[in-house]
Amino acid sequence: GPSLGPEAWRRHGIAVSVDGVMRSPFEMFRHPGVTFDKLRGIIPRLNKVRDDVAALLEIEGLYQDFLVSQEKEAAAFREEDGLALPEDLDYKTLQNLSTEERERLSSTRPATLGMASRTEGVRPATLLMLLKIAKEHARGRAHPIVERA
C-alpha cells in the first residue's frame, strides 16, 4: 500500500513521531483513533476495499505488534521444545524440585525439554532450570545445578 511520511500523517490529524520513517496505512492502526474509515478519507484508493476485509485488516493492524511478539515466542519455544536433556540426568540431585517432580521425572526420564514440559506436575520454574541444563548440555558442559551435600 501507499506509505506516507510523518508530516503527511500529522497533517491528517494522526500523531506520529517526526522521525522521517515512512509508514503504511496498515501500521497506522496502532495509533489511537485510527480506523479504516479514517484511512479511506486520507487514501482514496482504500475505498475499493470491501468492508469485511477492511474490518479484518483493522484488527490485524491493531494487534500486529502483539502477534509478531507471540510468533517470536512460539518459534523460540518450538526450538527449545526439542532441546535434549542429558540421558544421565539425576533428578534426585537437582535443587528446588518437589518430591512429586523428582519422582515423575525420574520415572518418565524425558528425553527433551518438550517432553518434560508435558509431564504432569512439573512447574514452570523447574522447566526454566531444565532449559538451562539442556542448553548447557547442548554446549557440551556439565550441569552444575545439583544440591550441595
Side-chain angles (χ1 to χ4, degrees):
S3 292
L4 301 175
E7 296 78 14
W9 288 117
R10 290 174 81 82
R11 275 195 304 276
H12 292 286
I14 301 172
V16 296
S17 300
V18 183
D19 53 11
V21 175
M22 300 292 281
R23 291 176 179 82
S24 71
F26 187 72
E27 293 172 275
M28 300 315 297
F29 291 123
R30 287 182 255 170
H31 296 271
V34 176
T35 62
F36 208 91
D37 285 338
K38 182 169 188 139
L39 292 177
R40 281 179 169 143
I42 299 169
I43 302 164
R45 196 167 25 161
L46 296 178
N47 287 309
K48 296 176 184 169
V49 176
R50 291 190 341 241
D51 288 343
D52 58 331
V53 174
L56 282 174
L57 289 171
E58 192 171 322
I59 291 167
E60 282 185 26
L62 181 62
Y63 293 106
Q64 119 189 38
D65 289 342
F66 174 75
L67 294 171
V68 166
S69 71
Q70 287 289 294
E71 181 50 41
K72 283 180 184 170
E73 282 181 31
F77 179 78
R78 283 191 298 274
E79 186 177 307
E80 291 169 354
D81 198 62
L83 280 174
L85 290 167
E87 288 178 26
D88 63 346
L89 185 57
D90 183 357
Y91 294 97
K92 294 186 185 339
T93 63
L94 293 181
Q95 296 175 1
N96 305 318
L97 263 65
S98 68
T99 303
E100 178 188 13
E101 287 174 314
R102 286 181 207 283
E103 290 171 2
R104 294 216 176 165
L105 291 168
S106 292
S107 68
T108 58
R109 309 263 347 128
T112 66
L113 186 65
M115 292 169 86
S117 75
R118 292 182 283 281
T119 302
E120 191 177 337
V122 176
R123 298 168 299 159
T126 298
L127 291 173
L128 282 174
M129 181 178 57
L130 292 176
L131 170 62
K132 193 172 184 180
I133 290 170
K135 284 184 173 180
E136 288 170 356
H137 177 66
R139 287 189 213 108
R141 291 203 200 110
H143 42 85
I145 309 172
V146 292
E147 288 184 357
R148 311 287 181 257

